[in-house]
Amino acid sequence: MNKEIVIFLHGYATRGGLRAEKARFLHGKFSTYSHIDFHAIDFNPTHKDFQYHTITGMIDRLRQYIIERNFAEVSLIGISQGANVALNYAHRYGDVKRLLLLAPELFYDSYSTEEALQEWVERVNAQVFHYGFKESTLLNYGHHQDGLRYVNPPAPPAPMTLIHGVDDPAIPIERSRNYAVQYPDNVDLIEVESDHFLNDQMTLYGKRQEKYLVYNVKIIGL
């Protein structure tokens, strides 16, 4: 029996791999199913990796990870900027069975003023707080330059479930609503009473993805 490959993609300035709380949670959920093979990538294991990280670089690392393991088809779970990576990877390369996107960054937005961007240009590297390292670290301006390549989200390249908190202060839920309205046959949006981190919703999206993967059904409603 061929296993279904599930890969978790962490978000911006957070822990990656199985160091990520959500990745550990989902790994535990799927470990009881012999036909599911769960993976979690760490896109910035060191400060230097994060300093030069870009969305394109994350997509390239994911591509290399999949090719090296000879995965023919995968399902992707992406949170925040990891959702942007998942969506654009699937659009670019295909062979993605389904997508679960949590508090999704469907398109890039620096959330910076023109003054802040100009200062970033002049300094080249900006100091930003990294939640995984739990300290400030450098981020190169190339991150923003590359991000401008991803300001328009592609159409759904695979069946998609979005879970987004109505009180998300980082990525407005209206962005997921607008996207879902455009593609009602391919996108299922689940709105929850939560913030950007969705830490109080882990059981919800764990059950959603578990059912979605194990029983191969489209999730509708709560």
Side-chain angles (χ1 to χ4, degrees):
M1 178 178 63
N2 292 328
K3 289 190 175 184
E4 177 154 8
I5 307 300
V6 180
I7 304 177
F8 178 83
L9 311 176
H10 67 85
Y12 168 81
T14 59
R15 288 181 173 230
L18 290 179
R19 296 183 304 163
E21 182 181 7
K22 294 176 178 63
R24 291 198 304 273
F25 173 80
L26 291 168
H27 180 259
K29 294 288 290 184
F30 299 137
S31 63
T32 58
Y33 296 96
S34 60
H35 63 290
I36 294 178
D37 187 9
F38 182 84
H39 298 253
I41 294 178
D42 191 346
F43 290 113
N44 42 242
T46 72
H47 287 73
K48 188 62 70 173
D49 287 288
F50 179 74
Q51 181 179 350
Y52 293 101
H53 106 277
T54 62
I55 294 172
T56 298
M58 295 165 77
I59 293 171
D60 289 345
R61 284 197 181 189
L62 174 58
R63 181 63 174 169
Q64 182 180 12
Y65 189 92
I66 290 172
I67 288 176
E68 286 178 347
R69 289 156 181 79
N70 199 31
F71 294 154
E73 185 180 57
V74 299
S75 292
L76 300 175
I77 306 173
I79 183 165
S80 193
Q81 193 165 89
N84 193 327
V85 174
L87 177 59
N88 281 283
Y89 177 91
H91 170 70
R92 182 178 301 179
Y93 293 110
D95 294 327
V96 173
K97 190 173 185 179
R98 54 179 66 89
L99 298 164
L100 173 67
L101 307 183
L102 312 173
E105 176 191 272
L106 297 170
F107 57 90
Y108 175 77
D109 187 338
S110 71
Y111 296 101
S112 299
T113 64
E114 288 299 322
E115 291 78 9
L117 288 173
Q118 183 58 39
E119 183 178 355
W120 197 1
V121 170
E122 294 171 357
R123 292 190 176 186
V124 182
N125 294 300
Q127 285 280 350
V128 301
F129 186 79
H130 192 288
Y131 294 92
F133 301 147
K134 299 189 186 314
E135 61 183 0
S136 293
T137 189
L138 296 176
L139 179 62
N140 190 271
Y141 183 71
H143 176 77
H144 174 67
Q145 291 175 303
D146 180 78
L148 296 177
R149 301 172 60 185
Y150 302 95
V151 295
N152 296 307
M160 296 170 57
T161 296
L162 314 180
I163 299 180
H164 206 140
V166 296
D167 298 317
D168 188 336
I171 301 176
I173 193 172
E174 284 75 21
R175 297 185 177 186
S176 286
R177 288 170 176 166
N178 292 338
Y179 188 79
V181 166
Q182 291 182 68
Y183 307 104
D185 295 332
N186 304 98
V187 179
D188 176 28
L189 172 60
I190 301 169
E191 300 186 16
V192 294
E193 296 289 336
S194 191
D195 57 16
H196 184 64
F197 295 101
L198 297 173
N199 287 330
D200 56 351
Q201 301 293 323
M202 286 203 292
T203 299
L204 169 65
Y205 61 69
K207 287 181 178 178
R208 293 286 173 178
Q209 186 68 350
E210 185 178 5
K211 289 176 66 178
Y212 203 27
L213 291 168
V214 176
Y215 301 113
N216 193 25
V217 296
K218 181 175 176 64
I219 306 302
I220 301 177
L222 296 175

